Amino acid sequence: MKHMPTTESRAIDCELITKEAAVFLGKLHRRFEGRRRQLLEFREKRQEAFDRGHLPDFLEETKDIRETDWTVSPVPRDLEDRRVEITGPANDAKMVINALNSGAKVYMADFEDALSPTFDNLLKGQKNLYEAIRGRLTWIAENGKRYQLNEKRGTLVVRPRGWHLVEKHFLVDDEPISAGLFDFGLYFFLNAKTLLKNGSGPYFYLPKLESHLEARLWNDCFLFSEDELGIPRGTIKATVLIETIPAVFEADEILYELKEHSAGLNCGRWDYIFSVIKKFRCNERFIFPDRSQVTMEAPFMRAYTNYIVKTCHHRGIHAIGGMAAQIPVKNDPEANHVALEKVYKDKKREVLDGFDGSWVAHPGLVEGVMKVFDEHMPNANQIERQRDDLKVSAADLLSVPEGTITEEGLRLNITVAIQYMEAWLSGRGAVPLYHLMEDAATAEISRAQVWQWIHHPAGVLEDGRKVTLALVLELMEEECQKIKNDLGADRFETGKFSEAIGLFKTLIEKDEFTEFFTLPGYDLLE
């Protein structure tokens, strides 16, 4: 048929992308692509205002939504208790099995920041989840050890990619489909009815939203999809990651737009920091110190997290805390103890603030974080705990963290960004670096800070040296040599380091800031 979606041969041959699934994806594209593009244009216009010095504020036109009483629809039973959620890329079968078996209440299977979006990775991820939902997913290690799913496992929630990305391997009317619609649509079409038979449902995490209008678009996608498959409206449940500075000012409105489909909000802390740097990149006031100094105790981060808890509980729904990126440190008990103490302190702060759950990146953290929440949250959640004591203003949300810019911090940004980009270009999206499990948000913060420090007069090291492109290139050469020494010449030369270095250099030297490194990076993926 002339208007049938077309794909590369790999997708045509994939047993998951049936003719019926392709037709469904085509319908999603034709119905919603125009609105997606309009919303991206709205992002650009808003960014132009930020570049002129405008700052976000609570919207006057939606004041009634914020000031009237309403609540979202109740969540299903398997989403009532979310005290520990584990995240990881969907394309790694062993990780999927271990995450579902970890004891965490929820497993967030990622097609976004923790997954490098090669088409093979995406199809493997869809296949893994298809098999897991049917209880058939297995993995056999080289030593013959067999990994399989336990009878009791966590609730599956899927994170598709954001509105800003496309999937170049699936074309509709000779246009690439929205990456988010591809990830969501294929998973939903293949699994929604089976999930319902299993006593669960199609649950999602929605990333990178910047306005309630973008939430409205998702809600309309959900309504259309439910009607197409003939399942009740409100079956889909979605948790929105509040990980951009414009979105936090529209938290109430985002919940309102997704009212019958909402499963709450999550604090995507690392992307949130990146968003503040990115959105106010032309504003001299928002020059951030070293990333390591921008902690959850910073006033603007306390305002952000407290506001999310207050907003969610006022609307009768979950507030989920941020990622604990630490991973167990093998063969160093002292370093491992220090890392775990940081995690437990962070999670204790979250549960005492009122969060109903939190994220971890490694199965080894599940038990300890579970104990923290069990001690301070005996019920399935603490939504009934209204935080009327909290008063959060626009000024609170826009305060700037104090600190210094150091050579050590600059070097760390350089090496982390390059190493992560090399892994991402090689097809790996979840990358252990310096005892932390990193995803794309880490590289985004790192390269954004380097760009910011180069392009603003206030980008000055604590020893008085201006951060210039020449200085960064000098340090970059030294850091790359260290990476080469650590990994070995063969690994360095045969990897994607040349491409990663070139991408990083292009991003930091351009006068215009690139919205996401994954946009030019995607063109480099095979």
Side-chain angles (χ1 to χ4, degrees):
M1 293 177 61
K2 183 178 179 182
H3 296 293
M4 277 288 294
T6 59
T7 69
E8 287 194 353
S9 59
R10 285 179 298 173
I12 294 172
D13 294 337
C14 176
E15 63 190 56
L16 297 179
I17 306 182
T18 61
K19 178 180 178 180
E20 294 77 14
V23 168
F24 177 71
L25 290 170
K27 288 180 179 180
L28 285 174
H29 173 84
R30 295 186 183 101
R31 191 175 187 93
F32 298 111
E33 175 63 11
R35 285 176 60 188
R36 183 186 77 90
R37 292 185 181 184
Q38 289 174 354
L39 289 170
L40 293 180
E41 290 175 3
F42 179 74
R43 285 188 184 184
E44 292 178 1
K45 291 178 180 177
R46 182 181 262 182
Q47 182 60 57
E48 290 172 0
F50 293 153
D51 289 348
R52 295 193 300 267
H54 176 78
L55 294 176
D57 203 345
F58 299 102
L59 302 178
E60 183 63 29
E61 61 267 31
T62 55
K63 187 176 181 180
D64 286 348
I65 292 175
R66 294 193 302 278
E67 295 184 354
T68 54
D69 288 329
W70 50 268
T71 57
V72 304
S73 300
V75 295
R77 182 177 300 177
D78 58 345
L79 284 178
E80 289 178 351
D81 190 337
R82 303 173 62 180
R83 65 189 63 219
V84 181
E85 302 190 349
I86 189 169
T87 75
N91 65 304
D92 189 314
K94 180 183 176 183
M95 281 191 180
V96 172
I97 294 169
N98 286 342
L100 286 168
N101 290 347
S102 67
K105 298 293 185 180
V106 168
Y107 163 47
M108 193 279 285
D110 201 9
F111 286 95
E112 204 231 359
D113 272 5
L115 182 142
S116 172
T118 67
F119 204 52
D120 286 340
N121 279 349
L122 295 165
L123 295 182
K124 285 178 182 176
Q126 293 282 356
K127 178 69 171 178
N128 287 339
L129 301 187
Y130 182 89
E131 295 296 323
I133 288 165
R134 290 152 181 84
R136 303 192 300 242
L137 184 63
T138 59
W139 187 80
I140 300 175
E142 290 183 1
N143 62 5
K145 182 179 179 181
R146 180 183 177 87
Y147 291 76
Q148 61 188 31
L149 295 168
N150 295 338
E151 189 68 27
K152 182 180 180 181
R153 45 190 183 263
T155 299
L156 179 61
V157 180
V158 171
R159 179 164 69 169
R161 285 168 287 175
W163 284 131
H164 60 290
L165 299 168
V166 297
E167 178 46 62
K168 63 185 177 183
H169 299 102
F170 191 96
L171 307 180
V172 181
D173 303 333
D174 297 322
E175 291 182 332
I177 192 173
S178 154
L181 288 184
F182 179 82
D183 300 339
F184 156 77
L186 186 57
Y187 175 80
F188 175 81
F189 184 85
L190 295 173
N191 302 302
K193 291 183 178 179
T194 302
L195 286 162
L196 290 171
K197 289 179 183 177
N198 293 347
S200 187
Y203 307 145
F204 298 92
Y205 259 106
L206 305 180
K208 307 288 190 291
L209 268 66
E210 295 194 11
S211 76
H212 69 286
L213 300 178
E214 295 180 16
R216 182 181 298 171
L217 177 55
W218 270 119
N219 196 67
D220 289 345
C221 291
F222 295 162
L223 291 171
F224 174 82
S225 300
E226 290 163 340
D227 291 348
E228 281 288 304
L229 265 63
I231 61 178
R233 289 189 166 193
T235 297
I236 296 171
K237 296 296 180 183
T239 307
V240 173
L241 289 126
I242 301 298
E243 52 188 355
T244 69
I245 184 68
V248 74
F249 285 93
E250 301 180 38
D252 266 310
E253 294 89 333
I254 287 170
L255 288 174
Y256 186 83
E257 294 293 343
L258 288 160
K259 196 187 298 184
E260 65 179 320
H261 293 113
S262 179
L265 304 176
N266 170 288
C267 287
R269 57 173 73 172
W270 308 123
D271 270 296
Y272 188 78
I273 294 170
F274 166 57
S275 173
V276 176
I277 297 171
K278 175 173 67 173
K279 292 300 176 185
F280 308 137
R281 57 201 183 217
C282 295
N283 193 321
E284 286 286 350
R285 176 187 154 200
F286 288 88
I287 305 300
F288 273 35
D290 286 0
R291 179 165 61 100
S292 62
Q293 299 175 33
V294 186
T295 69
M296 296 307 296
E297 299 300 326
F300 85 111
M301 295 299 285
R302 295 291 293 143
Y304 153 60
T305 53
N306 281 331
Y307 185 70
I308 295 305
V309 170
K310 179 177 182 177
T311 301
C312 286
H313 287 189
H314 184 54
R315 304 308 177 185
I317 199 62
H318 296 71
I320 307 299
M323 168 69 79
Q326 287 83 0
I327 55 180
V329 183
K330 296 181 179 180
N331 305 318
D332 191 339
E334 184 176 348
N336 189 58
H337 176 75
V338 171
L340 294 181
E341 283 300 308
K342 288 181 179 179
V343 173
Y344 301 148
K345 180 182 178 182
D346 182 50
K347 299 311 169 188
K348 184 177 180 180
R349 174 190 52 76
E350 287 184 329
V351 70
L352 292 178
D353 280 349
F355 281 100
D356 305 287
S358 193
W359 277 14
V360 299
H362 193 280
L365 298 178
V366 171
E367 183 179 0
V369 174
M370 192 77 74
K371 287 181 179 178
V372 174
F373 272 83
D374 287 348
E375 180 181 354
H376 299 285
M377 191 180 78
N379 298 322
N381 54 65
Q382 50 184 337
I383 295 172
E384 76 287 347
R385 185 181 167 200
Q386 301 292 300
R387 293 302 310 272
D388 295 332
D389 57 304
L390 293 173
K391 305 296 181 185
V392 179
S393 67
D396 295 328
L397 293 168
L398 294 170
S399 62
V400 181
E402 296 180 354
T404 57
I405 304 171
T406 69
E407 181 179 321
E408 181 183 7
L410 177 57
R411 286 181 179 274
L412 184 63
N413 278 340
I414 292 169
T415 189
V416 166
I418 289 174
Q419 289 188 73
Y420 181 85
M421 289 178 185
E422 190 276 335
W424 191 87
L425 292 170
S426 301
R428 303 188 309 279
V431 184
L433 292 172
Y434 309 111
H435 308 308
L436 298 175
M437 186 64 76
E438 307 286 20
D439 69 8
T442 303
E444 294 287 28
I445 296 173
S446 296
R447 63 95 181 182
Q449 284 204 306
V450 175
W451 183 95
Q452 183 188 55
W453 295 341
I454 290 172
H455 287 82
H456 282 286
V460 177
L461 298 178
E462 62 177 351
D463 61 14
R465 285 178 294 164
K466 174 71 181 78
V467 179
T468 62
L469 179 60
L471 175 61
V472 171
L473 294 178
E474 177 186 334
L475 298 181
M476 187 168 72
E477 185 173 344
E478 295 175 9
E479 291 303 311
C480 287
Q481 186 60 51
K482 292 178 186 177
I483 296 170
K484 187 175 183 178
N485 293 340
D486 290 342
L487 298 180
D490 288 345
R491 165 69 179 87
F492 190 88
E493 299 299 336
T494 58
K496 297 283 187 178
F497 281 101
S498 176
E499 294 91 333
I501 292 167
L503 176 58
F504 178 76
K505 182 174 181 292
T506 298
L507 291 169
I508 62 169
E509 68 184 4
K510 288 175 61 177
D511 288 335
E512 294 296 321
F513 186 87
T514 302
E515 284 290 299
F516 296 94
F517 91 79
T518 51
L519 291 171
Y522 188 52
D523 293 334
L524 300 175
L525 283 180
E526 298 177 359

